Amino acid sequence: MEFESYFPIWDKLNKQQQERIKNSLAFRQVKKGTIIHNGNMDCTGLLLIKSGQLRAYILSDEGREITIYRLFDMDVCLFSASCIMRSIQFEITIEAEKNTELWVIPSEIYKSIMEASAPVANYTNELMASRFSDVMWLIEQVMWKSLDKRVAAFLLEESAIEETNELKITHEIIANHLGSHREVITRMLRYFQNEGMVKLSRGTVLITDEEKLRELSK
Amino acid sequence: MEFESYFPIWDKLNKQQQERIKNSLAFRQVKKGTIIHNGNMDCTGLLLIKSGQLRAYILSDEGREITIYRLFDMDVCLFSASCIMRSIQFEITIEAEKNTELWVIPSEIYKSIMEASAPVANYTNELMASRFSDVMWLIEQVMWKSLDKRVAAFLLEESAIEETNELKITHEIIANHLGSHREVITRMLRYFQNEGMVKLSRGTVLITDEEKLRELSK
């Protein structure tokens, strides 16, 4: 499968627009852990994921992190091209959570097509609305949900993504996803272990009672 | 001044689009405290504020509130027309914080113009990006900033909006803006009073040391 079949609005572009994108496109293979974009870097461009997994997060002045959203196969990352819109005034960091293959559409090319094309502009709207919904969900989580529920929900999400109950993940990484501290997560996971929901070993969280964890996460 | 001079992209509409909007437009005067839109209601439409002040907030299951953003003269409220985009999957409540005069553009009219017009779609993009930036700012506040700084910043913001140091505001309303509890805000304000930054009386917070409050808010 090639770019044309991955890019959701390929058929809505005219021949000339298709040519411009094809001729400016870059294909990249990035290793797990690579920082693909951060707020201070140049405007990287739109990312279309062929395969892999990306994480978008924000950083505090003190270096704390919280995950804003994650992207998977066929997803498009808009905020790595934040310079295409004047009103985007925040900085996001994007990191490969797995080895990832992706296409980069240069920001200036996408911008000039979007300015002329209603379908591309409306597609961009839907992309942004979808990320907006992720962020609103996050605010609700952070504001109204206690950390035990958020940790439980995160473990279940990871288990669904990785298709296993044996999660290879450190307490620090969980803390960085949830905007918490490692020590707090460790304490929480030990409590989960006492309750029989997980079993902890070095670098691994084994989910032993998914049902109970799901009940807690509600 | 009439609608044409308030609507930022009037000149980018063609004659037929201008006619459609003019013929479907409603002008409303709403009293302070009116709920103009909530997530469960029908899709109200785009709101263009002639004069007044609106507040967009979310509600928890338990009835707690947190302000997402505020809108002033000439601002456009997009999420009261959330049905124009499939990917908007969150519920926002919009309330008049002051007596407000506004125009309502019906959602289906705006949607059909946006789908055909690149300038309107791109304008919508900028609107959403601007609200997105507000929400990202809010996440940073909630995640990384302690409540004392947030209360200080809120009092200064209110003082700037109202152009007075004598704020007619209850502790409950402050709590609803910040997603906190009345008791917590009361305790915080009493601490501010002890430090000489404010003077409290029934329904009023008087800012007595703006400099010190600003220093704290940083």
Side-chain angles (χ1 to χ4, degrees):
Chain A
M1 283 226 289
E2 271 317 292
F3 179 79
E4 295 88 316
S5 52
Y6 277 82
F7 192 56
I9 48 165
W10 184 254
D11 294 340
K12 294 187 176 162
L13 301 175
N14 64 33
K15 277 268 166 287
Q16 197 214 350
Q17 291 163 340
Q18 290 179 345
E19 281 302 310
R20 286 185 69 192
I21 288 185
K22 280 212 94 167
N23 293 335
S24 59
L25 209 57
F27 185 70
R28 283 178 62 185
Q29 291 174 299
V30 292
K31 287 246 174 295
K32 177 178 170 173
T34 309
I35 302 295
I36 299 177
H37 172 82
N38 78 43
N40 304 318
M41 264 190 228
D42 289 333
C43 199
T44 311
L46 254 81
L47 310 176
L48 170 57
I49 304 178
K50 187 176 183 189
S51 68
Q53 186 173 317
L54 305 184
R55 174 170 91 98
Y57 61 95
I58 52 173
L59 265 171
S60 76
D61 296 339
E62 290 83 30
R64 285 174 67 194
E65 302 180 1
I66 184 168
T67 300
I68 300 294
Y69 53 82
R70 299 162 102 179
L71 300 168
F72 303 92
D73 298 5
M74 303 194 74
D75 278 341
V76 172
C77 184
L78 181 64
F79 294 122
S80 49
S82 57
C83 60
I84 66 172
M85 266 171 268
R86 247 194 341 268
S87 311
I88 297 181
Q89 279 146 1
F90 52 89
E91 297 188 345
I92 256 175
T93 306
I94 294 159
E95 157 190 50
E97 279 194 303
K98 295 184 179 171
N99 292 338
T100 299
E101 297 189 313
L102 51 83
W103 288 281
V104 183
I105 307 173
S107 306
E108 64 281 11
I109 301 285
Y110 190 85
K111 184 180 181 185
S112 91
I113 294 175
M114 180 178 82
E115 278 170 356
S117 159
V120 175
N122 279 296
Y123 170 70
T124 312
N125 262 325
E126 288 289 346
L127 271 183
M128 190 154 34
S130 173
R131 291 297 88 76
F132 207 120
S133 300
D134 291 343
V135 170
M136 292 300 291
W137 180 87
L138 178 64
I139 288 192
E140 290 179 1
Q141 296 289 310
V142 167
M143 289 304 303
W144 324 128
K145 229 172 161 180
S146 55
L147 189 67
D148 58 343
K149 291 179 192 299
R150 292 179 61 214
V151 173
F154 177 77
L155 295 177
L156 292 167
E157 184 192 328
E158 277 298 301
S159 164
I161 292 173
E162 302 296 338
E163 297 176 331
T164 172
N165 277 332
E166 194 175 350
L167 306 174
K168 301 284 177 202
I169 195 164
T170 66
H171 302 184
E172 176 140 26
I173 288 176
I174 298 174
N176 287 346
H177 274 290
L178 300 176
S180 182
H181 293 283
R182 187 183 54 75
E183 297 77 4
V184 177
I185 298 298
T186 297
R187 204 177 311 122
M188 188 67 77
L189 288 173
R190 283 192 188 139
Y191 162 75
F192 284 9
Q193 183 167 254
N194 290 341
E195 295 288 309
M197 294 183 277
V198 303
K199 194 168 177 327
L200 305 176
S201 53
R202 196 174 176 78
T204 306
V205 179
L206 177 69
I207 297 176
T208 48
D209 191 340
E210 193 178 318
E211 200 51 51
K212 199 166 172 186
L213 207 56
R214 198 171 304 282
E215 205 47 53
L216 170 64
S217 76
K218 279 176 191 157
Chain B
M1 282 227 291
E2 271 317 291
F3 178 79
E4 296 88 316
S5 52
Y6 277 83
F7 192 56
I9 48 166
W10 184 255
D11 294 339
K12 294 190 177 161
L13 301 175
N14 64 34
K15 278 267 165 288
Q16 196 214 350
Q17 292 163 339
Q18 290 180 344
E19 282 301 310
R20 287 186 68 193
I21 288 186
K22 281 213 95 168
N23 294 334
S24 60
L25 209 56
F27 184 70
R28 283 179 62 187
Q29 292 174 298
V30 292
K31 285 245 176 295
K32 177 179 171 171
T34 310
I35 302 294
I36 299 177
H37 172 83
N38 77 44
N40 305 316
M41 266 189 223
D42 289 333
C43 198
T44 311
L46 255 81
L47 310 176
L48 170 57
I49 304 178
K50 188 175 183 188
S51 67
Q53 187 172 318
L54 304 184
R55 173 170 91 98
Y57 62 96
I58 51 173
L59 266 170
S60 76
D61 296 340
E62 290 84 31
R64 285 174 67 195
E65 302 180 0
I66 183 167
T67 299
I68 300 294
Y69 53 82
R70 300 161 104 179
L71 299 168
F72 303 93
D73 296 6
M74 304 194 73
D75 278 342
V76 172
C77 183
L78 181 64
F79 294 120
S80 48
S82 57
C83 62
I84 65 172
M85 265 171 268
R86 246 192 346 268
S87 311
I88 298 181
Q89 280 147 1
F90 52 88
E91 298 188 346
I92 256 175
T93 305
I94 294 159
E95 159 191 46
E97 279 194 304
K98 296 186 178 168
N99 292 339
T100 299
E101 297 189 311
L102 52 82
W103 288 280
V104 183
I105 307 172
S107 307
E108 63 281 11
I109 301 285
Y110 190 84
K111 185 181 181 185
S112 91
I113 293 175
M114 180 179 82
E115 279 169 355
S117 159
V120 175
N122 279 297
Y123 170 70
T124 312
N125 261 325
E126 289 288 347
L127 272 183
M128 188 150 40
S130 174
R131 291 297 89 74
F132 207 121
S133 301
D134 292 342
V135 169
M136 292 300 292
W137 180 87
L138 178 64
I139 288 191
E140 290 178 2
Q141 296 289 309
V142 167
M143 289 304 303
W144 323 129
K145 227 172 163 181
S146 56
L147 189 67
D148 57 343
K149 291 178 193 299
R150 292 178 62 217
V151 173
F154 177 77
L155 294 177
L156 292 168
E157 184 192 328
E158 277 298 301
S159 164
I161 292 173
E162 302 296 337
E163 298 176 333
T164 171
N165 277 333
E166 194 175 352
L167 306 174
K168 300 283 177 202
I169 196 164
T170 66
H171 302 184
E172 177 140 27
I173 288 177
I174 298 173
N176 287 347
H177 274 290
L178 300 177
S180 182
H181 294 283
R182 186 184 54 74
E183 297 77 3
V184 177
I185 297 297
T186 297
R187 204 176 312 125
M188 188 67 76
L189 288 173
R190 283 192 188 137
Y191 163 75
F192 284 10
Q193 183 168 251
N194 290 341
E195 295 288 310
M197 293 183 278
V198 302
K199 194 169 177 328
L200 306 175
S201 52
R202 196 173 175 79
T204 305
V205 179
L206 176 69
I207 298 176
T208 48
D209 190 340
E210 193 178 317
E211 200 51 50
K212 198 166 172 186
L213 207 57
R214 197 169 305 280
E215 205 45 53
L216 170 62
S217 76
K218 279 175 192 160

